[in-house]
Amino acid sequence: MLAKVTRRRCAVSGAVGLALLGAGLPAVAADGSGPDLSRFYGQKIKWSKCVGMEAPKDLQCGKVTVPLDYAKPHAGSLDLALARYRSTAKHKRGSVLINFGGPGGAGVPALAGAGDDFMGLTDEYDVVSFDPRGVGRSSPVSCGAGTDEALAATDDETAVAQNPRAVLGRLREAAAECAKHSGPVLRHIGTVNVSRDLDIMRQALGDKKLNYLGFSYGSRLGAVYATQFPKKVGRLVLDGVDTLTEPLSEQGVAGAAGQQTALEDFVDWCVKDVACPFGTDARSAREQVLRLVASLDEDPVPTDFGPDFTGQDLVGAISQALYSADLWPSLERALAELVEDGDTTGVLSFASGGSGVLTRAQTRPPSDDPTHAPLVDAEDVPLDNLPAALMAVNCADDPDRPGADRITADLTRLRAAYEQASPVFGRYRLTEYLMCFGRPKGTDFIREKVRDVPTSKILLVGTRGDPATPYRWTVETAKRLGDSAVVLDNKGEGHTGYGSSKCVHRKVDDFLLYGSLPPNGSSCGAEHDE
């Protein structure tokens, strides 16, 4: 679930450096038996002008190197892309790291686009974001044609009903396509590893403790970090709180229903505008959206960037654009260009997480060291990186891996449940869930270990009308975290609160800047900012 936090610019729906200190994850385990990570904890960042992307002049870019496999740190490494806005303070507090969500959201372009929202934090901090492993320029994963193959498999209603094992066979082939196009990082993707990367960033940034603002999926990452490194937690904020316990099958139904509600809200807004490509009647407009998706699935539109643009590509693009009402005018224009001119440029920009229209072909720059994966160029990030990374991380984080017999028995029921939740997004979300079939079993760390975290206070922001992360997930996660959790109830609409509510924005900044926490259970009223 990729957060769209900016009120003024489009963020992605989607960042080291001092000598080794005595803080953070030890270079070796306390008993001396663990792997030696000292070379990763002793880095120095080289900040420079951001190249190869549209970025504000005051945004700086850099990189940090992390082990591919933390159990075998000398077996390979990869670079992670970073970006920062420097603090304006003479004596800054340190850095605050931001994760914009996803999973699969690239933080560097998101920070470039949404920087205005975080300028208040530069009074005390360097504001830093990053492309997590497998995302953006940081060894991006891709499924090639695998996602399209999986969608095609689940679209065959007769096969689903009469020969579900054949469908599972095609899903297994799709998973193999993802492994083929993604490289070795796919086996080491997931939040547990990203959290360890986060601690290397913290140390390299020179911070004794992590100050952090995580949106949507970023809340899952923050909770995992607090569990792995409880003594290194500084001021942590989790906005748009993810679930830590629900299986992917249930998350998908909830997500489809939330996105359907957001789409209906968008349509209600669109038909009041003369530029709406679906006319002036809301019911007719909703039917036109369904027909547009179906027609593109039957007759895809050619593009200049690889495979043709399908109805399910459109569904993925719309899902990213619906996370914030601030993006509705851009979505309206993109849909009008598609409907009236067959121009996919606008919708493709949403499909790629707002980072531009890129190629689906997976290309990697040459390296003098075959065990090291450097940053890729921005133009070499696959177009399907966001959905491919989302599926990869969610599968890696989920321990449930139903076998063929279980899925065969449940497939017809699951399809009906997803389509009932959303006639537009149901099939797409079901495919995201089924794409875990044929992949290795995920970790049980999040479900089993993230509970009663013995750390300093963590601020959780839940929005009542959030279409992607239901408010009940905030309550459930707060109970899991225990006494450290402080809940702020945002009685508003939209995904996350920081970018849409002045009250939430102020209270989050007060905590990050001054350590001032609102009382547990306090609220921000609904706002309707112009």
Side-chain angles (χ1 to χ4, degrees):
M1 289 147 290
L2 189 63
K4 303 286 187 178
V5 300
T6 180
R7 288 187 294 270
R8 291 171 290 279
R9 299 196 214 168
C10 173
V12 188
S13 51
V16 226
L18 302 174
L20 181 65
L21 305 176
L25 185 71
V28 295
D31 61 2
S33 62
D36 183 1
L37 298 171
S38 58
R39 74 184 182 99
F40 298 103
Y41 275 86
Q43 298 179 63
K44 184 176 182 180
I45 189 169
K46 294 180 180 179
W47 295 106
S48 61
K49 179 181 178 180
C50 297
V51 296
M53 61 178 289
E54 292 186 9
K57 293 181 179 179
D58 54 344
L59 186 72
Q60 296 179 317
C61 288
K63 65 180 181 180
V64 61
T65 302
V66 298
L68 176 66
D69 182 354
Y70 276 91
K72 301 176 181 178
H74 294 289
S77 61
L78 56 97
D79 289 339
L80 306 180
L82 307 168
R84 76 168 179 181
Y85 291 104
R86 296 189 67 180
S87 172
T88 58
K90 185 175 181 180
H91 302 291
K92 66 179 182 180
R93 290 188 54 86
S95 303
V96 58
L97 272 158
I98 299 175
N99 181 279
F100 288 91
V108 171
L111 188 61
D116 286 354
D117 271 352
F118 305 100
M119 287 300 103
L121 296 175
T122 61
D123 290 347
E124 294 287 342
Y125 296 102
D126 288 343
V127 176
V128 182
S129 192
F130 61 103
D131 293 357
R133 58 172 61 208
V135 174
R137 298 183 62 204
S138 305
S139 298
V141 296
S142 171
C143 286
T147 303
D148 292 337
E149 292 173 2
L151 286 165
T154 56
D155 186 46
D156 189 338
E157 190 169 354
T158 301
V160 169
Q162 299 181 0
N163 193 3
R165 288 190 179 274
V167 174
L168 295 185
R170 294 179 69 180
L171 289 171
R172 190 181 296 278
E173 292 174 0
E177 281 292 302
C178 295
K180 173 184 175 182
H181 286 271
S182 295
V185 71
L186 187 65
R187 298 191 299 274
H188 303 287
I189 206 167
T191 303
V192 171
N193 279 328
V194 176
S195 172
R196 300 189 72 173
D197 296 342
L198 199 61
D199 197 58
I200 288 178
M201 294 180 214
R202 173 201 62 77
Q203 181 100 63
L205 288 165
D207 295 333
K208 293 183 178 179
K209 294 190 175 183
L210 177 72
N211 303 301
Y212 175 81
L213 175 54
F215 296 102
S216 193
Y217 160 77
S219 68
R220 189 196 311 172
L221 175 57
V224 170
Y225 182 89
T227 302
Q228 289 183 308
F229 306 97
K231 294 182 179 179
K232 297 305 167 189
V233 171
R235 296 171 184 174
L236 260 64
V237 180
L238 315 180
D239 184 3
V241 182
D242 202 356
T243 180
L244 301 176
T245 57
E246 286 193 2
L248 283 179
S249 57
E250 295 179 21
Q251 291 182 46
V253 171
Q259 288 178 318
Q260 183 67 32
T261 299
L263 176 62
E264 292 173 0
D265 290 343
F266 164 75
V267 168
D268 289 341
W269 169 87
C270 182
V271 296
K272 297 175 183 177
D273 186 78
V274 67
C276 184
F278 304 120
T280 59
D281 180 73
R283 177 178 294 182
S284 173
R286 294 187 185 99
E287 293 173 352
Q288 288 183 62
V289 172
L290 277 171
R291 289 199 297 270
L292 178 61
V293 171
S295 67
L296 285 170
D297 277 333
E298 183 175 346
D299 187 17
V301 176
T303 73
D304 295 329
F305 307 98
D308 293 346
F309 188 79
T310 70
Q312 295 310 301
D313 289 330
L314 177 61
V315 171
I318 292 174
S319 70
Q320 296 305 318
L322 289 176
Y323 281 134
S324 171
D326 297 305
L327 300 178
W328 289 0
S330 297
L331 176 61
E332 180 188 45
R333 288 192 297 272
L335 289 170
E337 292 168 356
L338 177 65
V339 171
E340 296 166 7
D341 304 319
D343 184 354
T344 61
T345 303
V347 287
L348 277 170
S349 70
F350 286 114
S352 62
S355 57
V357 179
L358 307 170
T359 176
R360 285 193 189 221
Q362 181 69 9
T363 58
R364 296 183 182 277
S367 174
D368 294 333
D369 180 1
T371 67
H372 176 68
L375 297 180
V376 306
D377 293 334
E379 61 267 23
D380 290 328
V381 179
L383 176 60
D384 75 325
N385 176 237
L386 192 155
L390 183 148
M391 287 184 283
V393 173
N394 281 340
C395 293
D397 286 357
D398 190 83
D400 297 330
R401 203 63 89 239
D405 291 342
R406 168 79 177 276
I407 294 181
T408 296
D410 289 352
L411 196 52
T412 300
R413 177 188 61 80
L414 281 170
R415 177 168 172 150
Y418 274 77
E419 290 186 348
Q420 182 178 6
S422 172
V424 175
F425 301 101
R427 175 186 161 206
Y428 190 87
R429 297 303 297 260
L430 175 61
T431 301
E432 287 182 345
Y433 164 62
L434 293 175
M435 283 287 281
C436 290
F437 185 78
R439 300 189 187 218
K441 182 179 180 180
T443 180
D444 61 2
F445 181 91
I446 298 172
R447 193 175 296 177
E448 299 297 329
K449 302 297 184 182
V450 183
R451 61 173 73 242
D452 298 321
V453 180
T455 188
S456 56
K457 296 294 185 182
I458 302 172
L459 178 60
L460 281 64
V461 181
T463 298
R464 292 284 178 165
D466 194 316
T469 50
Y471 182 78
R472 62 181 172 83
W473 287 356
T474 301
V475 177
E476 293 167 0
T477 298
K479 290 181 180 178
R480 297 260 314 174
L481 294 177
D483 293 340
S484 64
V486 174
V487 173
L488 176 61
D489 181 355
N490 177 31
K491 300 182 184 299
E493 302 292 327
H495 186 38
T496 72
Y498 188 79
S500 58
S501 166
K502 294 178 181 178
C503 172
V504 171
H505 198 284
R506 182 177 63 253
K507 290 181 182 294
V508 168
D509 280 4
D510 284 348
F511 175 51
L512 290 172
L513 292 169
Y514 315 117
S516 176
L517 270 170
N520 185 38
S522 61
S523 65
C524 284
E527 294 187 25
H528 301 283
D529 295 335
E530 296 295 332

